[in-house]
Amino acid sequence: MIKYVIDIIILQSIFLTLYQLIAKTPYFKINRWYLVSSMFFSLLLPAINFQIINTWLTIDSGFIQPINRLQEIVIQPGPENKNLQNSADNLSIWEVIKWIIISISGYKLVKLALALNQIRCILDKADHEQTKDHIHYYRLKDNEDAFTFFNHIVIGEDIPKHQIDYILTHEKVHAKALHSIDLLIVELLRSIMWFNPLFYIYKKAIILNHEYEADAVTVNEKNKYQYMNSLINKEFNTATIQFVNPFFNQSNLKNRIIMLQQKKMKPVQKMKYVFILPALLLCFTYLSCSEDQKNETMNVSISNVQKAPIFPGCETYKTNDKLKKCMSQKISKLVSEEFDTSLGKELGLSGVNHVYVQFKINTEGEIIDIKARASHPELKKEGLRVVDMLPDMQAGIQDGKKVNVIYQLPITFKIEE
């Protein structure tokens, strides 16, 4: 789980750094989709089980056979492993931290639900004036706020009449584009992963991009300088509801004025968007994955050896398929019995943890050159230890000669959260 969160933060850092190159470009719809989709990609990519071993399990030039992948071994602690400590006082520090994080997330989700209910109450209290082009218009008594939530536009009755026309034009852009969806998504993610500061940056960037888009449409229909004066001369009050599009937002005023004064963009400046592709490549490189590499790895099979190595007890089988199945069963039984499942509690691990082990069966049938990779150093050490316990075997045969054969052994260590 910790690695997943770290991966999310690293990917979001890459995406947000790149966004600074295009944040001031007038292609607001493209920028909007970039921000929202990059959030989803940052959550999705680290969760995909890429074949990361392609980047570190290299084949020695002296090996005759390619790497052969054994059947994955899934290890899950049974009840006897979970009840080693029955006292609540023996909870690990990681369990305590986990429950603190869950509790705060729950609290923030409740606040989000209450804020939604607050909007419902405001709409119920406001006077519904009309519905036009699927947009609902409301007037709020004794109020100077103006905001949009989905296709509902709320205008305070105390707003000066000469400003209402500008505000309605501006707010209709928010309503038609359903900008509230973006804000609701980022607020939901921010409530769940409140400990990730980058979601706060995402929210600020999304809100500002919404305002840029609405301002651009408004000045196309209205006088630009009168509109800017309308923004500057107003005593701004930021709405307390966090996922509506407020017209009066003092914190964004300076950036909005600068954007309104920006000159027409030169065609060469559009090339900034080309940098999106290298950023995506950088993300995939970081995750050490590629679908092509994945498929290539999965297609390598034990059938490349004319006669597979024989695990003790499998001598009666004559075909490669049966020898492979027998070997996988024997190795799976040994590793499952010998793998120290108490490591999960000792290390404060949770969820699914992967250990990838590479080893070679040489021409003498010995297990040599054992390498491992795992999400935690202790899991790597345990993977090396259990594979080192494998017995000597009969060597593989190719063209009538004994050969070295490399194997990959994926081990999945599942821990209930």
Side-chain angles (χ1 to χ4, degrees):
M1 184 63 182
I2 294 177
K3 185 179 185 302
Y4 175 69
V5 172
I6 292 174
D7 286 345
I8 289 174
I9 292 175
I10 291 175
L11 292 182
Q12 289 184 349
S13 298
I14 295 172
F15 287 131
L16 288 171
T17 300
L18 176 68
Y19 180 70
Q20 300 310 308
L21 297 175
I22 61 175
K24 296 298 178 67
T25 58
Y27 305 104
F28 308 116
K29 288 183 173 62
I30 297 176
N31 293 355
R32 176 190 182 185
W33 286 111
Y34 174 85
L35 287 168
V36 175
S37 61
S38 66
M39 274 197 304
F40 279 111
F41 276 124
S42 69
L43 297 173
L44 177 64
L45 292 180
I48 297 176
N49 183 22
F50 293 113
Q51 299 298 318
I52 58 174
I53 51 177
N54 292 317
T55 62
W56 61 273
L57 290 180
T58 57
I59 302 177
D60 191 305
S61 59
F63 293 166
I64 297 176
Q65 297 300 326
I67 296 177
N68 301 283
R69 185 181 177 89
L70 291 169
Q71 182 178 352
E72 182 180 18
I73 299 174
V74 179
I75 299 173
Q76 190 165 6
E80 68 280 359
N81 301 109
K82 298 176 187 175
N83 299 318
L84 295 176
Q85 297 176 333
N86 295 320
S87 172
D89 294 334
N90 291 325
L91 287 175
S92 72
I93 185 63
W94 291 109
E95 289 175 318
V96 173
I97 293 174
K98 180 183 74 174
W99 284 110
I100 290 175
I101 291 174
I102 292 174
S103 299
I104 296 176
S105 297
Y107 168 73
K108 288 185 173 292
L109 288 172
V110 170
K111 283 189 64 178
L112 181 62
L114 291 175
L116 285 169
N117 184 64
Q118 181 184 354
I119 291 180
R120 183 187 64 80
C121 293
I122 291 174
L123 294 178
D124 289 343
K125 185 172 65 173
D127 295 329
H128 184 270
E129 291 195 330
Q130 63 173 326
T131 300
K132 185 178 181 181
D133 298 329
H134 305 289
I135 298 176
H136 302 278
Y137 297 89
Y138 298 82
R139 292 303 296 270
L140 196 59
K141 295 180 180 179
D142 302 323
N143 198 285
E144 294 185 351
D145 284 337
F147 66 87
T148 301
F149 182 68
F150 285 88
N151 62 336
H152 301 274
I153 297 177
V154 179
I155 304 292
E157 285 189 346
D158 293 341
I159 294 176
K161 292 184 179 180
H162 68 275
Q163 288 189 327
I164 290 179
D165 192 30
Y166 292 116
I167 293 173
L168 286 177
T169 304
H170 179 99
E171 294 301 316
K172 277 192 289 186
V173 179
H174 291 313
K176 290 180 179 179
L178 295 177
H179 285 161
S180 295
I181 293 178
D182 304 358
L183 297 180
L184 196 55
I185 289 172
V186 73
E187 196 65 30
L188 179 62
L189 293 175
R190 197 178 71 153
S191 297
I192 296 172
M193 301 186 70
W194 53 268
F195 46 85
N196 180 0
L198 297 183
F199 278 119
Y200 295 81
I201 299 176
Y202 261 108
K203 180 180 177 180
K204 182 177 179 180
I206 288 172
I207 290 176
L208 194 54
N209 185 69
H210 288 172
E211 297 306 317
Y212 288 162
E213 182 179 354
D215 287 342
V217 174
T218 303
V219 297
N220 282 337
E221 298 181 16
K222 307 294 180 183
N223 182 278
K224 178 192 293 188
Y225 296 103
Q226 289 181 1
Y227 178 68
M228 285 193 293
N229 287 332
S230 178
L231 290 175
I232 294 171
N233 293 332
K234 174 67 182 176
E235 181 182 353
F236 296 98
N237 294 306
T238 303
T240 56
I241 302 173
Q242 297 300 308
F243 45 84
V244 298
N245 292 103
F247 182 80
F248 303 122
N249 190 327
Q250 187 176 12
S251 62
N252 291 331
L253 177 59
K254 180 180 177 180
N255 288 318
R256 290 171 65 183
I257 297 297
I258 292 174
M259 180 60 76
L260 286 171
Q261 293 179 314
Q262 182 175 268
K263 295 181 180 179
K264 189 174 181 181
M265 194 173 183
K266 296 179 180 179
V268 69
Q269 291 178 294
K270 298 177 183 179
M271 295 298 293
K272 291 179 180 180
Y273 287 92
V274 175
F275 290 100
I276 292 176
L277 294 178
L280 291 175
L281 180 61
L282 181 60
C283 292
F284 280 96
T285 301
Y286 165 73
L287 293 170
S288 304
C289 65
S290 133
E291 287 300 321
D292 293 337
Q293 289 177 326
K294 178 179 178 180
N295 294 333
E296 181 182 351
T297 298
M298 295 302 291
N299 289 333
V300 175
S301 69
I302 202 168
S303 60
N304 288 311
V305 184
Q306 290 178 353
K307 185 175 181 181
I310 301 175
F311 196 99
C314 299
E315 294 86 353
T316 56
Y317 298 104
K318 303 301 180 184
T319 66
N320 262 359
D321 287 340
K322 290 183 178 180
L323 286 172
K324 174 187 174 182
K325 184 177 180 180
C326 182
M327 173 185 281
S328 292
Q329 290 174 345
K330 297 283 188 180
I331 293 178
S332 179
K333 183 174 184 296
L334 186 148
V335 173
S336 298
E337 290 175 350
E338 297 297 333
F339 197 94
D340 185 3
T341 55
S342 66
L343 283 175
K345 194 173 189 65
E346 293 175 4
L347 302 176
L349 301 174
S350 62
V352 178
N353 300 270
H354 296 286
V355 184
Y356 299 97
V357 185
Q358 170 186 308
F359 61 95
K360 178 168 67 174
I361 302 175
N362 66 9
T363 56
E364 303 300 321
E366 299 169 336
I367 309 297
I368 63 171
D369 293 349
I370 305 173
K371 304 175 184 177
R373 176 166 179 165
S375 57
H376 194 283
E378 291 301 319
L379 289 180
K380 175 182 176 180
K381 188 184 299 183
E382 184 63 10
L384 293 171
R385 186 187 71 84
V386 293
V387 170
D388 191 48
M389 297 176 68
L390 294 176
D392 291 348
M393 309 180 196
Q394 294 184 28
I397 304 294
Q398 184 79 10
D399 296 330
K401 298 179 181 181
K402 294 180 179 181
V403 293
N404 299 320
V405 184
I406 305 174
Y407 288 93
Q408 293 173 359
L409 177 64
I411 303 172
T412 297
F413 186 26
K414 291 185 177 180
I415 305 167
E416 289 188 4
E417 300 188 26

